């Protein structure tokens, strides 16, 4: 007699490396952050735009720049094969950033023909093939905004730059982010950058062999990216390179001075950082980053952005100066959680210390009620009561009549503020027995008074 072969166990399926699931105990904080952002955008006159998560590869090659790390190393790209002989194949890419897609939409839908300033925001996922690490994922979420329009709409005004920066300072303050730092610089006009790039490339040639491999490559392909480098061994050499401020033309200098004056008037603190260049090809004039001291380690940039006055033209559209930013939502959440954990630890060891700021720690809110039918015969009545209470705006969960009463109480205590016991007598008399967990009080009352009781 031969033994039957055992079917090999299938491997457990897991999320793709560099991606993750956000479970119900995590999403309340995410929802809080996004709700705060949407309310802020509304106050500043922004409207939401939703663009596809994938675009043609050409869009990013032309907009972001073929020699950037994003385009040359990090994009998820595939060939969209034709279904018929008459169709042409095209290269598609999961969006690694959203500015290029928003400007493409601005051009395609002729938003510039309105003559008005377009203030657009988005919240959604982006995708880059980076090495996953703390706060960095291959699918990551961004909250971002773009302000763009024809010159006649005021899109080129330094006031737009300052308004964006003041809005971001307000956003971080409203969320309770502490000790943020605004790093600010100007990379000048496209003409200024040409002059500076030439000077930078010339200064890099005699020292290039002393730099790390990545910076040696950047010295030839995109010298500005060398200034972004975090390679510790290269810092002394990088700090000695020419500064962009020495290559700004009169118009760029005047523009930046007006941005700083507006920030001073609004009392928004900032720190000038001559090495802040942000290596994407479309940036001009004002560039910025907000950094934090808690939760992100050495890679402490929370958000960044800048002006991109020539991007629309690079993509084949009309002249449309613009400025925008993107917030790494994953990193923002990490910062909020780290702050809350720090505050909780402080209050545990120091009774006089304040506890976690309620803005930085959002827990799932308990339901208003859990309905416990005492036998299966009351299941239908329990569902009908749940519909009635939900219609009145209450949050309700329904149990099952097969549960033992002890089990119903345990579930209800973990989920809700009240438990409603629904037995044969309650159904027959149009009443409900309600127990409030916080006070341990239990009462029997008419169904007509139930909504008021649950809201108390």
């Amino acid at each position: 007699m031969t033994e039957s072969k055992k079917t090999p166990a299938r491997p457990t399926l897991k999320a793709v490396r560099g991606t993750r699931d956000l479970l119900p105990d995590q999403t309340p904080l995410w929802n809080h952050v996004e709700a705060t952002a949407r309310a802020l955008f509304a106050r500043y006159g922004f409207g939401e735009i939703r663009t596809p998560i994938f675009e043609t590869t050409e869009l990013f090659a032309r907009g972001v720049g073929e020699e950037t790390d994003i385009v040359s190393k990090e994009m998820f790209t595939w060939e969209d094969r034709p279904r018929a002989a008459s169709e042409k194949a095209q290269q598609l890419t999961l969006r690694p950033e959203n500015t290029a897609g928003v400007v493409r939409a601005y051009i395609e839908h002729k938003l510039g023909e309105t003559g008005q300033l377009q203030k657009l925001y988005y919240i959604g996922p982006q995708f880059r093939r980076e090495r996953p690490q703390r706060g960095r994922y291959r699918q990551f979420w961004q909250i971002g905004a773009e302000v763009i329009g024809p010159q006649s709409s005021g899109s080129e005004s330094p006031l737009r730059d300052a308004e964006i920066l003041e809005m971001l300072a307000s956003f971080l303050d409203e969320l309770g982010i502490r000790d943020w730092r605004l790093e600010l610089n100007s990379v000048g006009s496209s003409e200024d950058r040409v002059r500076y790039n030439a000077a930078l490339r010339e200064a890099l040639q005699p020292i290039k062999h002393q730099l790390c491999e990545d910076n040696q490559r950047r010295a030839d392909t995109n010298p500005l990216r060398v200034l972004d480098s975090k390679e510790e061994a290269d810092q002394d050499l990088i700090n000695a390179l020419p500064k962009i401020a020495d290559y700004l033309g009169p118009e760029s200098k005047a523009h930046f001075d007006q941005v700083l004056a507006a920030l001073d008037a609004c009392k928004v603190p900032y720190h000038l950082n001559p090495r802040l260049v942000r290596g994407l090809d479309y940036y001009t004039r004002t560039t910025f980053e907000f950094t934090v001291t808690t939760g992100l380690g050495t890679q402490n940039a929370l958000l960044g952005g800048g002006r991109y006055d020539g991007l629309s033209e690079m993509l084949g559209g009309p002249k449309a100066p613009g400025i925008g930013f993107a917030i790494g939502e994953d990193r923002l959440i990490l910062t909020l959680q780290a702050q809350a954990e720090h505050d909780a630890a402080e209050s545990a060891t120091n009774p006089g210390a304040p506890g976690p700021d309620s803005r930085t720690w959002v827990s799932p809110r308990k339901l208003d009620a859990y309905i416990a039918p005492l036998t299966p015969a009351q299941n239908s009545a329990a569902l009908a009561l749940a519909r009635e209470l939900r219609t009145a705006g209450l949050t309700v969960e329904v149990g099952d009549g097969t549960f033992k009463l002890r089990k119903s109480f345990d579930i209800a205590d973990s989920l809700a503020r009240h438990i409603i016991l629904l037995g044969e007598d309650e159904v027959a008399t149009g009443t409900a027995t309600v127990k409030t967990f916080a006070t341990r009080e239990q009462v029997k009352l008419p169904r007509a008074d139930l909504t008021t009781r649950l809201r108390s």
Side-chain angles (χ1 to χ4, degrees), residues 367-379:
L367 300 173
D368 292 313
Y370 179 92
I371 304 175
L374 299 186
T375 73
Q378 285 85 52
N379 277 352

Side-chain angles (χ1 to χ4, degrees), residues 332-379:
L332 182 61
I333 297 294
L334 202 60
T335 302
L336 289 168
Q337 291 173 331
Q339 280 190 186
E341 289 165 3
H342 174 269
D343 292 348
E346 280 289 304
S347 62
T349 57
N350 179 7
D357 188 327
S358 62
R359 294 171 298 177
T360 68
W361 194 259
V362 181
S363 300
R365 183 175 178 271
K366 281 203 166 188
L367 300 173
D368 292 313
Y370 179 92
I371 304 175
L374 299 186
T375 73
Q378 285 85 52
N379 277 352

Side-chain angles (χ1 to χ4, degrees), residues 58-132:
E58 182 185 9
L59 173 69
F60 302 110
R62 288 168 62 180
V64 176
E66 290 192 64
E67 298 300 333
T68 60
D69 285 354
I70 291 176
V71 173
S72 63
K73 293 187 195 178
E74 298 171 358
M75 297 199 311
F76 290 97
T77 296
W78 71 96
E79 182 178 359
D80 185 25
R81 296 178 181 176
R83 290 182 295 173
S86 60
E87 295 179 342
K88 292 183 180 179
Q90 61 179 165
Q91 291 284 321
L92 300 180
T93 294
L94 287 173
R95 62 187 186 198
E97 59 94 57
N98 215 22
T99 297
V102 171
V103 176
R104 188 268 310 148
Y106 171 89
I107 297 168
E108 182 175 343
H109 299 286
K110 298 181 172 57
L111 298 183
E113 293 183 5
T114 66
Q116 297 177 354
L117 190 69
Q118 302 295 318
K119 301 175 81 171
L120 310 167
Y121 80 87
Y122 58 86
I123 299 175
Q126 322 295 324
F127 306 85
R128 293 184 194 175
R129 188 182 278 108
E130 292 187 289
R131 182 172 62 85

Side-chain angles (χ1 to χ4, degrees), residues 6 8 82 198 233 239 258 298 309 326 335 349 363 368 378 421 428 431:
K6 290 185 177 179
N239 286 332
Q258 291 177 58
T298 56
D309 290 344
T335 302
T349 57
S363 300
D368 292 313
Q378 285 85 52
L421 304 175
T431 59

Side-chain angles (χ1 to χ4, degrees), residues 168-310:
L168 287 168
S170 296
F171 178 58
L172 298 181
D173 286 343
E174 287 184 27
L175 284 178
I177 297 287
R178 299 192 299 269
D179 302 325
W180 54 260
R181 177 183 172 103
L182 168 56
E183 306 272 354
L184 198 57
N185 194 25
S186 174
V187 295
S189 66
S190 55
E191 293 80 10
D192 298 336
R193 281 178 63 144
V194 169
R195 290 196 303 273
Y196 181 56
N197 259 319
L200 201 55
R201 186 173 274 111
E202 183 179 350
L204 282 165
Q205 287 311 306
I207 63 167
K208 186 172 68 172
H209 65 283
Q210 301 177 52
L211 301 174
C212 71
E213 186 177 341
D214 269 351
N215 283 333
Q216 290 183 35
R217 175 179 56 81
R218 291 166 179 160
D220 292 325
T221 61
N222 192 351
L224 283 173
R225 287 304 309 277
V226 174
L227 302 181
D228 271 341
S229 173
K230 303 297 187 292
E231 180 65 39
E232 192 63 36
D234 292 351
Q235 296 308 303
D236 288 343
L237 292 170
I238 294 172
N239 286 332
L241 292 170
K243 303 294 188 289
I244 182 67
D246 297 329
Y247 293 82
L248 297 182
E251 290 186 5
S252 295
K253 286 182 179 178
H255 186 278
F256 194 49
D257 286 344
Q258 291 177 58
V259 174
L260 300 183
L263 291 176
D264 289 338
C266 294
K267 295 182 171 54
V268 175
Y270 57 84
H271 298 267
L272 299 181
N273 180 355
R275 279 186 51 180
L276 181 63
V277 294
R278 303 190 61 79
L280 304 187
D281 284 1
Y282 54 63
Y283 281 117
T284 57
R285 293 187 172 173
T286 307
T287 57
F288 59 88
E289 283 184 354
F290 281 77
T291 61
V292 290
T293 57
T294 303
L296 299 181
T298 56
Q299 300 288 329
N300 62 346
L302 193 60
L303 66 95
R307 180 163 281 282
Y308 46 84
D309 290 344

